[in-house]
């Protein structure tokens, strides 16, 4: 109870700051942004909510803490991102585009949540959101304003940041006794189906996620196509790998719930570029393969040797795929030329557009009215800036995650005991048919019997 | 069976009347209205359906009767509203906007359904819809045509009407023996999760609900922002209150399923006005707090002392919040001035626009082409009309609800016995794993054992 | 495992072919097509997925094989349809409209899947998709290019084709021992609810499905209205029939899951025509009635006498309704005249527009700019072409289905044994609470006891 008092303070704090806001609605922007905003809302609240409800005794927590964390993160991100990106005339100017940006920041928190699900109290999650959002907002602002990169699908800023932040947190929150699994770390038939449902919602609306912040027109169209192709190819690949590498040729639900989505991340960084459909297809296969073998070999390795317990395997679904995506983005930047893109190249790669005063700018502006002056970077320069952004994002995320983990480890945070992990009983008034206590005896002791009763 | 024959008659009746309709499609209106229509459809059929499936032995009924009642209500509302609002040249002119209006009327019926869920047969529900829709259509038509109010989110017409109609019905259908709870009035783990899923769908698409019937452009943009902010703040507040006022600091699923949505209703009446984001935030907190304490204290009080058994607590989620919302709307109207709104004030508060012939109208029409002449009301006059609308709506809803309840209480309506309440067995061929009979023994007698078996 | 190697080859094959593609994005088409594409995506992946998860021990398979088959079918259809319809300059030109067309082809495969669900291995399903998609693409191309029909909702090309193809397949895969039902061919409480949820998603987005490929403007508006009215009336009718023809006046969940949707198919062929709302209403009732009695009498008859085991009753939901719809379409074509439609008649019935060189074409093009020259057909001629299309589609689908069934029956396809049908255990690593073995004893032997334990 005392801990929730702290949380209500943040709430009031948010409220007080919101008094500085002022609505600045523009007719067009609503109709341009709202459909994408609505789709991303479904992904965040329904998609993530169902996906994270995959534990047998932790379904309430997975879905409901996702709801709480998401609602809090979006509010907090509106303020933090507003301060860095939409602050002028002494006010944060609020529109649906802010909400959309805030949902992306919220996705960052929810991905990091995946690393520590089941082992954290809601107050710890809120503290994580409280610290992660400002760090993310600073990094986002610094990267967009000073390094200036191309990253339409957020592979670098969203996925890599979220992954390494989450790994930093879970490194600090390491629980040695859980390395051999927890008796309640199991799924059940209904929770697996619910989680697949979440995957399907994410799958269906991912094209909106990847294309929401691109240029309108052909760029956005390409983003939709590439995301769809990447997801398709990674889905097929995930099924094939799951069956081939299973001892008895059966499918594993965890693969279907997670690995199928790898393609959406992998096409992210180059999603609006002219990479050709086959490249999107290949990226889907590569991301999926990396993600699949990450789950099989890397996640256990990280847990045993590196003290990193990555509960949902976010390093596979967001880290490895994010790295592949970033690399692909750099390749696409190096290969981009006016022959393929025409003059609109300077619109997509806006930092390569000639700077103010360059006579070529006027010439291009005749071809593309409304083209903004850029920095006159070459492809190689832009690629180097992308590399710089990748490394600085990973570094900032890791450090931020470690520090956040230290704060979350404070005794006041009401971290659940090892015994109570993955158990809704600790946080919820559960209905009478819920009984996790039957499994408190070791599972290998009399597995058969306990299953029969429950 | 005989009772369903009656229902089929209504069906044919509806059919016969539909022969007078004629399609009058307009290209623009489809693309303007269809996205909002689709979102509201998801809310009505999926959102309400899942939310009302929260009982352990009444999931089929909750979801399926919602489906039936909604489909019937929309059809019936197309005719009733069509007759009052879209009737000219001897025909009802049908477009997607009619369907959208009919969905709002349908939402009214479904909210009222929440007061009597578990205690009514489908034939009673259809009779309720059959009577509620015309009463609602008359009230809506009278209020919009003669009193003329501002109520973009429907706080007065939808939420207050639905709430007091439902309370009127449940007052008549009072079952004294159920005041201490029913042995089957319980949830289970999966039904709670399903219900949260419904809440999430309502939460995600509520901005579309509140903004569907506003003016396009900045008004609609504000409606989306305010609804989102109101829902966010009420969500955070609901979690905090649920944990703080729980004896053991745990969260209660019923709060998360219902109280989190209070903000969406509370911002309703002023959702398109320039109330500033912080006011939307504060409204969310106020509505949520009123709703939360309503569930804890008012609902039991109404059941014990006033003979009003409000099954889903619609008086908390729609009544109290509707009253707050209406009051806030009146304040916003009183505070509205040209300084804040500019000349577009006469567009939002259309009844304050100068009447035909007033020279000021011509002046304003130069600034805002297409501005319609109004009634030349002052802010105070408009506020008084709002008050009149609130009281007349509540009065009409209560009387209508009481009369409808009397009709529904007729013996021919096949009302379930007290024993059979909250039980799917009465209305459905249930699968073999469904067994509600095990709980027919009093729950307090041997609660432990009965839970173990089921 | 060896069987999945075959599947991976198709995957690579798809990849290799995709190298010939090239993105050809157009700004407008994205914003025109993407909302409908997203809605249809929800129907395909979430709606079908939930609907097909209705078996108690086959929920994983229903939802996951739907996911796999859909992802594969769409990819494959992009190539196949691309080759026939979007192939020029040596390349398939890819846009969101291709994806939308591919989703319709995918819907064909998923409908056919309904006939054989529970009795097929994933490799058989992929083989079915592999063969059905090209046959469908050829038939679609031939009908659209040479016969040239009006079929906006796809009643002929999608529903009739899918139905008779599926019946052809299931005729070959006949399993005599399953004619009296299978011990695991049962639902459970949660799977029934999940399936209703799928129905609701299909119901809500069906207007988008039927209107996605119509002309924009009033045609699309009518398509939305007719579909909604048809679904509404068939829903009410389905509830009434289900209660009236049940022995004890109870509702049957299978009716609610399937028969309610009949109206969406039945209005399909004439969905964009001026058939008047009451005709859409009547079509909904007729389709629903045919579908309902089909489930009661025709499906058992087909299984016992014709060796056609139609698992989900696709002949009722797609065959009978498709025939009614096609007939209605022909009537609407015969009744169409300039008086009702005005000059835009030649836009809807584009093949009735005057051919190039006809002076009437120039006259009409003054009234409707952009009207394309047609074939100068009369209403009767067009009706005859529709009849030809219906018979040739059914013939091609049946033959194609029979041949595909023969391929699927090859021993290498790993068809499950009769014993293992309707059981997830064969294809999935199932969680510990899943235990289908308890039902391997005959159900009628000691039904009571087995139910109690599970």
């Amino acid at each position: 109870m005392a801990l929730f008092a702290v949380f209500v303070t943040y709430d009031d704090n948010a409220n007080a700051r919101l008094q500085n806001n002022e609505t600045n609605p523009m007719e067009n922007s609503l109709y341009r942004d709202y459909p994408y905003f609505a789709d991303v809302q479904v992904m965040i609240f329904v998609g993530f909510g169902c996906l994270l409800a995959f534990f047998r005794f932790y379904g309430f927590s997975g879905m409901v803490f996702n709801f709480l964390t998401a609602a809090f993160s979006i509010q907090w991100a509106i303020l933090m991102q507003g301060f860095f990106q939409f602050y002028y005339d002494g006010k944060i100017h609020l529109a649906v585009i802010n909400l959309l940006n805030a949902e992306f920041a919220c996705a960052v928190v929810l991905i990091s949540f995946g690393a520590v699900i089941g082992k954290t109290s809601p107050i710890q999650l809120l503290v994580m959101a409280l610290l992660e959002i400002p760090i993310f907002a600073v990094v986002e602002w610094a990267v967009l304003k000073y390094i200036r990169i191309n990253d339409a699908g957020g592979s670098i800023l969203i996925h890599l940041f979220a992954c390494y932040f989450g790994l930093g947190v879970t490194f600090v929150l390491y629980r040695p006794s859980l390395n051999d699994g927890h008796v309640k770390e199991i799924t059940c038939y209904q929770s697996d189906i619910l989680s697949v449902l979440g995957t399907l919602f994410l799958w269906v609306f991912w094209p909106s996620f990847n294309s929401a912040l691109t240029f309108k027109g052909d760029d956005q169209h390409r983003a939709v196509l590439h995301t769809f192709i990447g997801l398709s190819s990674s889905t097929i690949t995930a099924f094939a790998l799951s069956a081939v590498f299973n001892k008895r040729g059966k499918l594993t639900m965890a693969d279907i719930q997670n690995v199928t989505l790898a393609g959406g991340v992998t096409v992210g960084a180059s999603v609006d570029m002219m990479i050709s459909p086959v490249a999107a297809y290949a990226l889907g296969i590569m991301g999926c393969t990396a993600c699949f073998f990450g789950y099989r070999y890397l996640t256990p390795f990280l847990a045993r040797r590196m003290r990193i317990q990555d509960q949902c395997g976010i390093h596979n679904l967001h880290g490895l795929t994010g790295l592949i995506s970033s690399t692909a983005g750099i390749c696409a930047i190096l290969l981009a030329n006016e022959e393929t893109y025409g003059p609109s190249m300077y619109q997509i790669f806006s930092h390569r557009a000639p700077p103010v005063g360059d006579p070529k700018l006027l010439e291009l502006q005749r071809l593309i009215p409304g083209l903004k002056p850029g920095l006159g970077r070459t492809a190689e320069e832009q690629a180097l800036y992308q590399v710089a952004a990748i490394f600085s994002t990973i570094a900032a995320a890791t450090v931020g995650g470690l520090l956040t983990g230290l704060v979350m480890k404070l005794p006041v945070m009401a971290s659940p005991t090892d015994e109570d992990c993955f158990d809704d009983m600790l946080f919820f008034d559960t209905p009478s048919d819920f009984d996790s206590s039957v499994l408190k005896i070791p599972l290998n002791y009399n597995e058969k019997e306990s299953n029969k009763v429950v």
Side-chain angles (χ1 to χ4, degrees), chain A:
Chain A
M1 226 184 290
L3 296 166
F4 269 86
V6 182
F7 143 61
V8 179
T9 313
Y10 299 137
D11 186 15
D12 286 348
N13 187 16
N15 182 359
R17 293 208 184 197
L18 267 166
Q19 288 172 349
N20 296 321
N21 296 2
E22 191 181 39
T23 3
N24 180 21
M26 292 171 299
E27 183 175 344
N28 295 336
S29 75
L30 173 67
Y31 304 109
R32 203 182 60 204
D33 298 325
Y34 186 60
Y36 297 90
F37 171 67
D39 289 356
V40 176
Q41 284 245 79
V42 176
M43 291 176 76
I44 294 278
F45 288 93
V46 180
F48 270 106
C50 291
L51 185 63
L52 294 178
F54 64 100
F55 282 123
R56 180 171 183 171
F57 300 114
Y58 205 68
F60 281 9
S61 304
M63 187 175 263
V64 169
F65 293 164
N66 178 72
F67 187 18
L68 170 65
T69 311
F72 175 75
S73 298
I74 295 175
Q75 273 180 36
W76 187 230
I78 290 172
L79 295 176
M80 287 294 108
Q81 292 184 317
F83 188 73
F84 283 107
Q85 292 182 49
F86 302 97
Y87 188 84
Y88 53 93
D89 296 345
K91 309 228 171 190
I92 295 167
H93 291 253
L94 194 67
V96 169
I97 189 78
N98 304 37
L99 302 188
L100 191 53
N101 272 293
E103 303 235 307
F104 284 108
C106 166
V108 168
V109 177
L110 297 180
I111 293 168
S112 302
F113 175 27
V116 295
I117 186 171
K119 303 170 185 165
T120 39
S121 67
I123 191 73
Q124 285 183 304
L125 292 175
L126 290 173
V127 168
M128 187 173 88
L130 188 78
L131 298 175
E132 183 165 7
I133 292 285
I135 299 171
F136 172 73
V138 169
V139 170
E140 185 189 26
W141 169 76
V143 167
L144 294 181
K145 187 164 170 84
Y146 295 107
I147 309 191
R148 301 197 181 181
I149 58 164
N150 285 98
D151 183 22
S155 288
I156 298 170
L157 276 174
I158 295 175
H159 297 289
L160 283 183
F161 183 91
C163 167
Y164 289 100
F165 193 96
L167 295 187
V169 170
T170 199
F171 179 80
V172 178
L173 299 184
Y174 182 62
R175 289 170 184 260
S177 69
L178 297 189
N179 245 353
D180 296 319
H182 187 285
V183 71
K184 292 175 205 150
E185 201 180 345
I186 53 170
T187 66
C188 71
Y189 199 63
Q190 293 299 331
S191 71
D192 265 336
I193 285 183
L194 192 66
S195 188
V196 172
L197 195 61
T199 301
L200 292 174
F201 274 109
L202 292 175
W203 204 96
V204 161
F205 290 115
W206 206 297
S208 294
F209 185 90
N210 268 357
S211 70
L213 296 181
T214 58
F215 268 94
K216 299 286 143 179
D218 62 329
D219 298 47
Q220 196 162 26
H221 205 148
R222 271 198 300 279
V224 168
L225 294 176
H226 289 153
T227 310
F228 184 85
I229 293 169
L231 283 170
S232 280
S233 74
S234 80
T235 302
I236 305 285
T237 315
F239 275 92
L241 291 173
S242 183
V244 169
F245 285 90
N246 183 293
K247 277 169 215 151
R248 289 160 301 171
K250 295 187 181 186
L251 294 167
T252 307
M253 284 305 260
D255 296 337
I256 291 156
Q257 287 152 7
N258 295 292
V259 184
T260 50
L261 295 170
V265 182
T266 322
V267 297
S270 53
V271 77
D272 56 342
M273 302 175 190
M274 291 283 286
I275 56 171
S276 86
V278 68
Y281 204 93
L283 280 173
I285 293 174
M286 283 162 58
C288 176
T289 310
C291 179
F292 179 80
F293 290 108
Y295 272 102
R296 283 182 76 87
Y297 302 113
L298 194 57
T299 301
F301 174 79
L302 288 176
R304 270 160 221 277
R305 301 295 163 87
M306 306 275 286
R307 297 168 32 100
I308 297 173
Q309 291 168 328
D310 181 1
Q311 196 62 44
C312 290
I314 60 167
H315 188 253
N316 312 311
L317 186 48
H318 302 279
L320 295 176
T321 52
L323 290 172
I324 294 174
S325 179
S326 311
T327 314
I330 291 170
C331 296
I333 286 169
L334 289 174
L335 293 171
N337 54 46
E338 278 195 53
E339 204 179 319
T340 316
Y341 288 83
S344 79
M345 185 180 86
Y346 299 103
Q347 210 167 26
I348 306 172
F349 305 100
S350 54
H351 317 308
R352 294 184 60 186
V356 185
D358 190 320
K360 199 180 171 196
L361 182 67
L362 295 170
E363 193 189 322
L364 285 166
Q365 280 175 337
R366 265 203 306 280
L367 294 166
I368 304 176
L371 182 74
K372 288 187 190 153
L375 305 168
R377 289 182 184 167
T378 65
E380 288 74 22
E381 283 170 4
Q382 183 63 36
L384 283 175
Y385 278 105
Q386 299 277 129
V387 173
I390 293 166
F391 282 104
S392 53
T393 301
I394 291 177
T398 310
V399 173
L402 292 171
L403 294 176
T404 303
L406 288 173
V407 176
M408 289 165 70
K409 216 180 177 179
L410 294 178
V412 78
M413 294 298 174
S415 182
T417 63
D418 286 359
E419 172 79 351
D420 285 334
C421 283
F422 311 109
D423 194 340
D424 280 339
M425 200 82 102
L426 189 62
F427 302 115
F428 289 90
D429 285 333
T430 48
S432 57
D433 70 329
F434 179 87
D435 187 6
S436 59
S437 61
V438 74
L439 280 183
K440 274 178 184 161
I441 38 176
L443 193 62
N444 51 5
Y445 174 63
N446 53 357
E447 185 174 15
K448 270 262 164 98
E449 199 177 320
S450 62
N451 288 339
K452 207 182 287 170
V453 178
V454 180

